[in-house]
Amino acid sequence: MSPALPLILRACLGLAAIAVTAAAADPKRKAAGQTPGQAARAAVSTIAAPTDPAALQVPPGFKVELLYTVPKEEEGSWVALAVDPKGRITAGDQYGGLYRITVPPIGTSTGAKVEKLAITVPDVTPPPGTESRPTPKRAQATDGSASPSVGAHGLLYAFGSLYVMIGEVPAKHGLWRFRDTDGDDQFDEFTYLREMRGGGEHGPHGLALSPDGKSIYFANGNYSDLPARLDLSRPVRWDEDHLLPRMWDARGHAKNRYAPGGYVGRTDPDGRVIELFAIGFRNHYDLAFDQNGELFTYDSDMEWDQGTPWYMPTRINHVIGGGDYGWRSGAGRWPDYYADSLPATLNLGPGSPTGTVFGTGAKFPAKYQLALYAADWTYGTLYAVHHQPDGATYRGVREEFVAGKPLPLTDLVINPLDGALYFAVGGRRTQAALYRVTYTGNESTAPAKPAPLAPEVMLRRSLEELHAEGTGPVAIATLWPHLGHPDRFVRFAARAALERQLPEIWADRALNEKNPRASIEALIALARVGRKHYQPRLLDALGRLDLAQQPADLVLPLLRAWQLAFTRMGKPDVATCARLAAKFDPLFPHADAFVNRELVSLLIFLDSPTVVAKTVPLLSVSEPPTATFEQIGGAQLTARNDNYGKVVNSVGANRPDRQQIAYAYNLRHATTGWTPKLRVEFFSWFARTAPWRGGSSFSGFIQNIRTESLALVADPAERAALDALSKPVAAALAAGAISPQGPGRNYTVTEATALAQGHLTGRDFARGKGLYIGTACIVCHRFNQDGSGIGPDLTGAGNRYTVKDLLENIIEPSKVISDQYDSQQFDLADGTTLVGRVVGEENGELLLMSNPFMPDEKTRVKAAAVKSRKTYPVSMMPPGLINSLNPEELKDLLAYLLSGGNPDDKMFKR
């Protein structure tokens, strides 16, 4: 270990002693590196200004202009945009107010006029269930009684108003309507329409006007509770539906956050009726309707899960009424193949989804008018997603439309008055700016006609109309023939409509259905909404469908139907379990890897006496290189990031085998069929796979699998021996560290920024990497699959930060603390003060993670003993970590961070 490392470690551990902890997953700071297009561009980072449009990658014929550089200290960091009826842009500061921008005419990029809007958002929250209330007129706006801070995450002009989704001001979370009632071009009436319980970066987000112009859709992330008074719901009877107990995130993220997760809702213009439209998202920031009125969103991954079987990349989702898109917290994320959820139209890989918009109204070639534009904050990429019809849904093809470094994209809009696309960069108080994209090429920009709707889409829509109806034989007769439709989205819509009907009316028909595909859908519906007394007949009906004889596309849906029969109706008696285990035992192992995952969990649940003996040897079998690997998430990771391939090749055997992890995850609950030899073979797997690398929670998940498995070993002596056998050898965290030579200095942001200005060329890659380790960055942060996950992943830092923003985060870490990483201070009745993060609640006690270096250790605090709790304003990251570096060392470290760990970056050319 280098001499410098213990000093920094002591500083970090000193902070741990006062119990400052990192919050959970940060969707804005992800693992992996650059896109292919970004790797091909010169890696030139401006110091404090936004990226020069000339350095941005755009398709031929398109032009990007920088219209306005936001003065950060005065106007904040912009994350939301909307176009008003006069063609002006309204922008929202993440933590502050609203700004109106009169953009210069097409043909000039100078002369943008920016004014701060006079906004009064009163400090009142309507009690649950009350009607919305308008505020008094602007006379109250200047009397100091209300905060000018808005913290808008969503903006929408509609119905003669500006609708604002407030996501950052705790007392005001939710949907507001601002109006100009006296015609002076300023808002003077501020009405709180609906409280949305939740806030911050996983709270209430974007807004979209419905295609018929009658309602407003909104996107709420997975830290948003359902509205206090939910009037209608298209999804029914959602649940977790895990056959074996789910493992929560190893670092505490979203613990005890249950379905529906993130959701899409809609409301009338006055906020009087709220309907839950679709569920099962992690953290989708925005919504967009295509030219045919179909709804899409760009949902987040959970980057800490990378390397696990349950990791799912960021994805484009086609959002239909009653849809469930499978997000469940921790290791509970549903795979795409579950029949009661819906798959993505396109998986994009690691990233941080922000704004989305279709090109409707843009003066672009037809292909780009019909595209969905999806912004990624972390990797500075604006995708154009071109959707091709695929039955009742679509299949997406991605194109990097605009990409840059840094380019932390937040929101985007099409201005129908000038036909341009406008996008903002910023967020987290980073340098914000407003850009414009126009088309200057030779192709026609005449309004494009959307492709005609496929018959399957029209059929799906007609079935979705039944989601709003009550019970009735007519509805059942209408939907039933479509339960066996070959299109998955049609079947889903038909089953969702069936689940709205009283099962007593249709249960017998479901139990006697002869068509295998229709039978599976009907039995899934009965399992989800029927009473437990149906279970014996349900199991008999499922048993008539011979799994071994089913076509390949029905095997996984049939297994899901079996699972739901147990998750919803309970575990059968011992004799029934034994009979069913004997039925499924001969089918395992199967030729399909995903079928094996589901069979293992089912057989363990049924207490199969043979499943352990069959599964443990598979822990030595490598994951098959099949096309289905893309569905697991690994293929996107490689395709998304040039640098990732170099990292994987350099670590070789350190790449995790997801199939083996899936087996081990399920075996942790097996209680039947173990022998001493099988236990030794199983627990040897943990030491053998210790070098595997993944996301920030990866090693914690593996350790928790080991811990739970050891707990099932009854004999203390055997358990101690297996503990020693399976204990991973600690990695040499400081391998490759370089000690700073100094002399150092007490850097300020201004001084350090000036040192870097124009000097990040000809740098020393090896020294930058060594100093990253030697200054203990690796102790708290991950970078290209290395290091700890206590703090945010730094791999994509160069794609989202200017040098000044990066230095500000290092030198003044408490200046901006994302709600994804904050801690809380608890003042107790006995005078004790604790600082940490709540990761759960059991039996009236809060489970407080108070030491980030020991995230598995929890302090129990009686909830009744807490007098007050508030956000702790000090970052867990100590200031001054770079003060041991001399200027040349600092520049090498900065170059290493901004390059994403790429030794071929131009900053290292000599």
Side-chain angles (χ1 to χ4, degrees):
M1 181 177 286
S2 72
L5 194 57
L7 177 63
I8 301 301
L9 278 172
R10 286 197 296 272
C12 293
L13 290 171
L15 285 181
I18 63 170
V20 180
T21 182
D26 179 351
K28 307 301 184 187
R29 304 185 181 194
K30 308 280 181 167
Q34 307 170 57
T35 64
Q38 293 162 349
R41 293 189 298 274
V44 178
S45 293
T46 56
I47 298 300
T51 298
D52 187 333
L56 299 179
Q57 170 188 302
V58 292
F62 285 90
K63 177 183 179 181
V64 181
E65 302 167 281
L66 174 61
L67 300 183
Y68 185 67
T69 299
V70 179
K72 183 165 56 172
E73 300 302 325
E74 293 80 29
E75 297 176 2
S77 195
W78 294 357
V79 298
L81 298 179
V83 183
D84 74 9
K86 297 181 179 180
R88 300 171 298 187
I89 308 295
T90 298
D93 171 19
Q94 182 176 359
Y95 307 105
L98 300 180
Y99 299 86
R100 177 186 289 157
I101 306 98
T102 303
V103 298
I106 302 295
T108 177
S109 60
T110 60
K113 177 186 175 183
V114 179
E115 58 178 313
K116 185 172 184 177
L117 296 176
I119 301 295
T120 298
V121 181
D123 293 318
V124 294
T125 300
T130 62
E131 298 298 334
S132 57
R133 297 181 295 181
T135 66
K137 300 300 182 183
R138 195 184 308 124
Q140 202 179 47
T142 56
D143 67 2
S145 62
S147 168
S149 180
V150 177
H153 280 216
L155 297 172
L156 173 68
Y157 281 94
F159 309 109
S161 308
L162 172 63
Y163 289 85
V164 181
M165 186 68 88
I166 294 182
E168 294 289 351
V169 184
K172 308 167 187 177
H173 287 163
L175 184 62
W176 291 72
R177 181 176 61 201
F178 296 176
R179 281 177 170 166
D180 171 15
T181 65
D182 56 13
D184 67 350
D185 208 24
Q186 293 290 326
F187 298 112
D188 53 61
E189 181 184 275
F190 308 93
T191 306
Y192 200 172
L193 297 181
R194 276 298 184 104
E195 178 185 15
M196 300 290 175
R197 296 181 175 178
E201 294 175 3
H202 285 237
H205 293 319
L207 303 168
L209 182 66
S210 65
D212 63 7
K214 296 180 179 179
S215 58
I216 296 170
Y217 285 70
F218 54 89
N220 285 0
N222 66 320
Y223 268 79
S224 302
D225 294 335
L226 291 176
R229 189 185 79 240
L230 185 63
D231 304 282
L232 302 169
S233 178
R234 294 219 165 189
V236 298
R237 292 290 302 278
W238 58 82
D239 209 333
E240 299 298 296
D241 289 319
H242 302 127
L243 194 59
L244 298 176
R246 166 254 315 280
M247 183 177 288
W248 294 104
D249 177 74
R251 305 195 68 84
H253 173 73
K255 187 170 184 179
N256 296 328
R257 297 296 305 182
Y258 294 97
Y263 59 91
V264 173
R266 67 179 175 186
T267 182
D268 63 283
D270 297 320
R272 297 185 185 277
V273 177
I274 293 282
E275 180 178 13
L276 183 62
F277 187 76
I279 64 173
F281 303 97
R282 180 174 186 253
N283 192 33
H284 53 319
Y285 188 80
D286 206 356
L287 299 164
F289 285 96
D290 74 0
Q291 291 80 356
N292 283 320
E294 295 292 307
L295 182 61
F296 294 81
T297 192
Y298 181 20
D299 195 18
S300 175
D301 64 343
M302 171 45 163
E303 70 277 17
W304 289 10
D305 290 351
Q306 287 180 16
T308 67
W310 47 87
Y311 173 72
M312 299 294 283
T314 66
R315 56 210 161 274
I316 304 297
N317 288 122
H318 176 203
V319 184
I320 69 170
D324 188 333
Y325 295 83
W327 176 257
R328 301 297 188 271
S329 293
R333 174 64 166 91
W334 292 3
D336 272 359
Y337 55 73
Y338 273 7
D340 49 336
S341 69
L342 291 168
T345 66
L346 176 66
N347 288 328
L348 285 169
S352 295
T354 48
T356 57
V357 71
F358 272 90
T360 309
K363 293 181 180 179
F364 291 174
K367 171 184 176 181
Y368 293 99
Q369 292 181 46
L370 301 177
L372 170 67
Y373 296 90
D376 175 8
W377 187 85
T378 291
Y379 294 109
T381 304
L382 177 58
Y383 293 104
V385 179
H386 307 285
H387 278 114
Q388 305 299 322
D390 186 15
T393 185
Y394 300 86
R395 183 179 64 258
V397 178
R398 72 178 182 182
E399 175 189 357
E400 288 185 12
F401 183 69
V402 180
K405 185 178 180 181
L407 197 71
L409 293 142
T410 55
D411 203 6
L412 60 157
V413 291
I414 302 293
N415 191 332
L417 298 189
D418 63 19
L421 183 153
Y422 293 80
F423 67 83
V425 298
R428 296 262 181 88
R429 294 196 172 94
T430 58
Q431 179 58 57
L434 181 68
Y435 292 83
R436 179 168 62 194
V437 183
T438 54
Y439 181 69
T440 59
N442 298 321
E443 292 186 50
S444 171
T445 59
K449 294 182 179 180
L453 289 173
E456 293 90 344
V457 174
M458 300 302 294
L459 174 58
R460 192 203 77 234
R461 287 184 173 185
S462 69
L463 293 169
E464 288 172 7
E465 292 179 5
L466 302 177
H467 295 179
E469 295 183 4
T471 59
V474 173
I476 296 172
T478 301
L479 67 87
W480 202 277
H482 307 298
L483 292 172
H485 197 282
D487 188 286
R488 179 173 176 178
F489 274 66
V490 171
R491 293 196 305 274
F492 189 98
R495 180 181 51 75
L498 180 62
E499 291 175 359
R500 298 197 68 85
Q501 318 306 318
L502 288 174
E504 289 77 11
I505 300 176
W506 53 267
D508 285 342
R509 186 172 181 179
L511 292 165
N512 292 289
E513 174 62 49
K514 301 302 182 184
N515 179 287
R517 196 180 300 275
S519 175
I520 292 171
E521 291 292 337
L523 294 176
I524 285 176
L526 185 59
R528 285 169 52 91
V529 301
R531 296 182 181 180
K532 185 175 181 178
H533 69 79
Y534 286 113
Q535 189 185 54
R537 296 176 64 196
L538 176 59
L539 298 182
D540 287 344
L542 288 171
R544 292 194 293 270
L545 296 167
D546 187 348
L547 192 69
Q549 300 301 317
Q550 298 305 316
D553 66 327
L554 289 189
V555 174
L556 286 167
L558 179 53
L559 283 171
R560 182 58 172 167
W562 278 102
Q563 291 174 353
L564 290 166
F566 302 133
T567 63
R568 294 297 179 109
M569 297 180 174
K571 189 170 184 175
D573 58 66
V574 173
T576 301
C577 286
R579 174 174 58 83
L580 293 176
K583 177 184 180 68
F584 290 111
D585 267 328
L587 303 176
F588 177 74
H590 194 274
D592 184 279
F594 292 141
V595 172
N596 275 340
R597 294 186 189 184
E598 304 310 320
L599 281 173
V600 165
S601 65
L602 184 59
L603 287 167
I604 290 174
F605 175 83
L606 295 170
D607 299 313
S608 162
T610 66
V611 65
V612 170
K614 289 182 177 182
T615 307
V616 169
L618 297 179
L619 295 176
S620 300
V621 178
S622 297
E623 185 174 55
T626 64
T628 55
F629 177 63
E630 179 174 348
Q631 294 173 269
I632 305 173
Q636 288 81 5
L637 199 63
T638 304
R640 181 72 175 84
N641 174 16
D642 285 354
N643 234 21
Y644 181 78
K646 300 173 185 176
V647 174
V648 168
N649 291 334
S650 70
V651 300
N654 293 348
R655 181 176 179 175
D657 188 306
R658 293 164 176 82
Q659 191 72 6
Q660 290 184 21
I661 295 170
Y663 291 143
Y665 177 80
N666 284 299
L667 283 169
R668 85 193 199 279
H669 277 287
T671 58
T672 304
W674 289 101
T675 66
K677 182 180 178 181
L678 286 171
R679 287 201 188 278
V680 168
E681 188 175 350
F682 173 65
F683 281 97
S684 297
W685 179 83
F686 292 96
R688 185 172 72 249
T689 60
W692 287 357
R693 300 177 185 176
S696 296
S697 291
F698 178 83
S699 61
F701 274 123
I702 300 299
Q703 176 60 31
N704 289 345
I705 293 173
R706 173 180 173 272
T707 299
E708 293 185 21
S709 300
L710 282 169
L712 294 180
V713 181
D715 181 70
E718 183 183 16
R719 185 167 61 250
L722 294 172
D723 183 21
L725 173 69
S726 59
K727 191 169 295 182
V729 178
L733 190 62
I738 294 178
S739 299
Q741 298 301 304
R745 62 183 70 179
N746 292 324
Y747 289 102
T748 65
V749 174
T750 301
E751 179 186 15
T753 301
L755 283 170
Q757 180 78 49
H759 296 289
L760 295 183
T761 57
R763 306 317 311 167
D764 187 324
F765 176 84
R767 186 163 66 171
K769 181 177 181 180
L771 289 168
Y772 175 81
I773 303 170
T775 55
C777 301
I778 198 171
V779 173
C780 294
H781 298 278
R782 296 184 65 76
F783 193 82
N784 278 342
Q785 307 295 305
D786 280 320
S788 171
I790 296 169
D793 193 299
L794 297 179
T795 310
N799 296 75
R800 60 181 180 267
Y801 293 133
T802 64
V803 172
K804 182 179 180 181
D805 286 332
L806 178 59
L807 285 166
E808 192 172 82
N809 276 273
I810 295 171
I811 296 171
E812 301 175 1
S814 294
K815 186 173 183 179
V816 180
I817 306 175
S818 164
D819 64 81
Q820 296 302 299
Y821 286 89
D822 64 7
S823 302
Q824 289 186 311
Q825 177 179 315
F826 296 82
D827 296 320
L828 308 184
D830 63 1
T832 304
T833 296
L834 297 175
V835 177
R837 178 175 181 268
V838 175
V839 295
E841 186 170 354
E842 297 176 355
N843 302 319
E845 291 184 324
L846 302 177
L847 302 182
L848 188 65
M849 184 172 67
S850 57
N851 186 342
F853 294 92
M854 297 180 180
D856 295 327
E857 293 189 1
K858 309 297 189 299
T859 300
R860 290 181 174 269
V861 180
K862 290 187 180 299
V866 177
K867 291 178 58 179
S868 65
R869 57 191 289 184
K870 59 184 179 182
T871 300
Y872 193 65
V874 179
S875 171
M876 67 171 295
M877 178 177 171
L881 289 180
I882 61 171
N883 288 348
S884 61
L885 306 178
N886 64 42
E888 295 304 310
E889 291 172 329
L890 175 60
K891 286 181 276 188
D892 287 338
L893 175 61
L894 289 173
Y896 177 69
L897 290 170
L898 293 168
S899 75
N902 179 11
D904 297 327
D905 193 287
K906 287 192 174 182
M907 286 184 284
F908 303 113
K909 300 297 182 184
R910 293 181 179 271

